[in-house]
Amino acid sequence: MAAPKTQTLERQEQITQAALDLINDQGVSGLNIAGIARRVGIVPSALYRHFVSKDAVLDAVLDLIRQRLLDNVAHVRKKTPVPLNQLKLLFTRHIVMLRENRAIPHVVFSDAVYNGQPDRKAKVAQIITSYLKEVEFIIESGRQDGTIHKEVVPATAAVMFLGMIMPAVVLWNVSQTKFDMTAHINTAWPAYERSIAVQIPKEAS
Amino acid sequence: MAAPKTQTLERQEQITQAALDLINDQGVSGLNIAGIARRVGIVPSALYRHFVSKDAVLDAVLDLIRQRLLDNVAHVRKKTPVPLNQLKLLFTRHIVMLRENRAIPHVVFSDAVYNGQPDRKAKVAQIITSYLKEVEFIIESGRQDGTIHKEVVPATAAVMFLGMIMPAVVLWNVSQTKFDMTAHINTAWPAYERSIAVQIPKEAS
DNA sequence: ATATAATGTGAATTGTGAATCACAATTCTT
DNA sequence: AAGAATTGTGATTCACAATTCACATTATAT
């Protein structure tokens, strides 16, 4: 009962997705060739027809993650032209995304990244910084149109934007999903907005 | 050439410290019994006289980390009685600490925590939340003495305090230590202060 | 001092998982 | 339809690391 033959390109996508799913369930340390193969429906050795090594699979997963993150930004841009609304939307969408893809923080924080080849580390650095650049860009356009304070330093504000998300996700993960993300979104966002927006929004509590 | 016999209590401390050092260098996935034993100066099997398993060593490392974090808070409390100054000091000290102990983020974000026994996960949750509680406490006393806005929600402000630190450390790690932490401290802190303090400090840019 | 407990040692055991390889089945080319 | 290329399979190898164990050595108690 051999698995049906499938073009490498398609298999690579299946394998990458399966790897992401596996990491969602078991973390990066739970990522193993046999597990991936099982999910795809092939035998472990067959995987090597499509990837030269396990490391190569991890790199593909990183590419997938980058794509998802940037797609997110693009989607938000289309949704509304107002910088502050874009940020708010990006904030909630990003949190929802990380909730559903626990693999993302897993990979980004994993030892495979922190202590693997410098290439991989650089790749993650590039993913994060390009995401930050997008956020900075939104903030900068807010400064231009006068909705965001001129004194705000875009780079710092972007890092702090990430700072609303990162600890929340970590707490949520560590607390067996008990940490109330919705409540966090509802209180953190106004605080963030207050610190960068020019005028307090209509309903000032 | 046997290693000198040493009381279990002292050896446990040596082993825990060696494990922390090893994680500093190689990450959690690089943590191995042989490596720890080498650093302590004993043979791998000897380690089992003092810890029942590798997992037990990791748990001890977690205890050590908690202790370090809380010592940090206590130190800051002694240094100054002014809440905002305590926060600022805690901020810089925390960053310095994480710079010198890359093991801390490694462990906190590791798979061993995210996918290990629920006990360990709970332990990490407890470490983070107790640290947050301390920060909340400082913020609350600032609200009491009128130096921090009444509208500030201590829990949220504490999470965002962590939010100044976490992404910075991640960026620093991932960027081969190229990310400028000092610059981050200098711009992030005023922004944070502005968002919670009642009055803008003397020199308003 | 001697028995007993505690600690250290080297060898052996066990498990795990990545990677390789010769061969089989399938698809593609022409 | 024959031959070449691609993809799949099972057995196997290899390295690595945690743990156990019988025995040696040192410290402690009486």
Side-chain angles (χ1 to χ4, degrees):
Chain A
M1 32 178 199
K5 287 204 173 188
T6 307
Q7 291 265 324
T8 282
L9 204 76
E10 189 182 346
R11 274 280 190 252
Q12 283 177 335
E13 285 171 5
Q14 294 175 351
I15 289 169
T16 309
Q17 183 60 53
L20 191 70
D21 293 344
L22 188 51
I23 296 174
N24 262 335
D25 292 351
Q26 325 231 356
V28 177
S29 64
L31 184 67
N32 65 93
I33 299 292
I36 301 171
R38 202 176 321 119
R39 284 173 186 242
V40 173
I42 57 179
V43 116
S45 56
L47 192 146
Y48 289 88
R49 294 287 177 205
H50 313 290
F51 283 97
V52 297
S53 67
K54 185 183 163 181
D55 268 0
V57 177
L58 233 189
D59 282 332
V61 170
L62 280 179
D63 285 333
L64 185 58
I65 288 176
R66 171 173 54 204
Q67 187 192 315
R68 297 265 172 98
L69 285 174
L70 295 185
D71 283 355
N72 219 3
V73 178
H75 177 273
V76 162
R77 279 245 178 70
K78 272 192 198 126
K79 207 81 175 182
T80 163
V82 183
L84 277 176
N85 292 346
Q86 288 179 340
L87 284 179
K88 166 91 190 269
L89 198 57
L90 190 57
F91 174 44
T92 57
R93 281 181 64 94
H94 195 143
I95 283 201
V96 168
M97 175 181 228
L98 295 183
R99 257 173 94 128
E100 286 163 6
N101 293 286
R102 293 168 67 222
I104 296 180
H106 270 139
V107 172
V108 171
F109 296 145
S110 73
D111 278 347
V113 163
Y114 279 64
N115 292 89
Q117 305 100 323
D119 310 0
R120 178 162 319 126
K121 208 166 174 172
K123 197 167 200 168
V124 172
Q126 201 250 319
I127 292 174
I128 300 182
T129 52
S130 61
Y131 186 81
L132 281 177
K133 277 272 173 278
E134 297 288 337
V135 176
E136 281 179 42
F137 183 83
I138 297 176
I139 293 171
E140 181 56 36
S141 52
R143 287 177 72 215
Q144 296 302 331
D145 72 15
T147 51
I148 290 177
H149 270 307
K150 284 292 185 189
E151 315 123 44
V152 168
V153 180
T156 302
V159 172
M160 290 182 80
F161 178 80
L162 216 52
M164 281 195 294
I165 297 167
M166 228 181 246
V169 171
V170 168
L171 277 167
W172 180 76
N173 270 316
V174 154
S175 71
Q176 317 277 53
T177 79
K178 286 204 192 78
F179 179 77
D180 189 344
M181 293 264 237
T182 312
H184 175 72
I185 291 176
N186 290 335
T187 48
W189 175 254
Y192 184 77
E193 195 176 37
R194 215 182 304 134
S195 81
I196 67 168
V198 156
Q199 57 215 13
I200 286 125
K202 33 203 159 138
E203 37 173 26
S205 168
Chain B
M1 33 177 200
K5 288 204 173 186
T6 308
Q7 290 264 326
T8 281
L9 204 76
E10 188 182 347
R11 273 279 190 254
Q12 283 176 337
E13 285 170 7
Q14 294 175 351
I15 290 170
T16 309
Q17 183 60 53
L20 191 70
D21 294 344
L22 187 51
I23 296 174
N24 262 335
D25 291 351
Q26 324 230 356
V28 178
S29 64
L31 183 67
N32 66 92
I33 299 293
I36 300 170
R38 202 176 320 120
R39 284 171 186 245
V40 173
I42 57 178
V43 115
S45 57
L47 190 145
Y48 289 87
R49 296 286 177 206
H50 313 290
F51 283 96
V52 296
S53 68
K54 184 182 164 182
D55 267 359
V57 177
L58 233 190
D59 282 331
V61 169
L62 280 180
D63 284 333
L64 184 57
I65 288 176
R66 172 174 52 205
Q67 186 193 315
R68 296 265 172 96
L69 286 174
L70 295 185
D71 283 356
N72 220 3
V73 178
H75 177 272
V76 162
R77 279 246 178 70
K78 272 193 197 125
K79 208 79 175 183
T80 163
V82 183
L84 277 175
N85 292 346
Q86 289 179 341
L87 284 179
K88 167 92 190 269
L89 198 56
L90 189 58
F91 175 44
T92 57
R93 281 182 64 95
H94 195 144
I95 283 200
V96 169
M97 174 181 228
L98 294 183
R99 256 172 95 128
E100 287 163 6
N101 294 286
R102 293 168 66 223
I104 295 180
H106 270 140
V107 172
V108 170
F109 295 146
S110 73
D111 278 347
V113 163
Y114 279 62
N115 292 89
Q117 305 99 323
D119 310 2
R120 177 163 317 127
K121 208 166 175 173
K123 198 167 200 167
V124 172
Q126 201 252 318
I127 292 175
I128 300 181
T129 51
S130 61
Y131 186 81
L132 281 177
K133 278 271 173 279
E134 297 288 337
V135 176
E136 281 179 41
F137 184 83
I138 296 176
I139 293 171
E140 181 56 36
S141 51
R143 286 177 72 216
Q144 296 302 331
D145 71 14
T147 50
I148 290 177
H149 269 308
K150 283 292 185 188
E151 314 122 45
V152 169
V153 180
T156 301
V159 172
M160 290 182 79
F161 179 80
L162 215 53
M164 280 194 297
I165 297 167
M166 227 181 247
V169 171
V170 169
L171 277 166
W172 180 77
N173 269 317
V174 154
S175 71
Q176 317 277 56
T177 78
K178 286 205 193 75
F179 178 77
D180 189 345
M181 293 263 236
T182 313
H184 175 71
I185 291 176
N186 291 335
T187 48
W189 174 254
Y192 184 76
E193 194 176 36
R194 216 182 304 133
S195 81
I196 67 167
V198 156
Q199 58 214 8
I200 285 126
K202 38 207 158 139
E203 39 174 26
S205 168

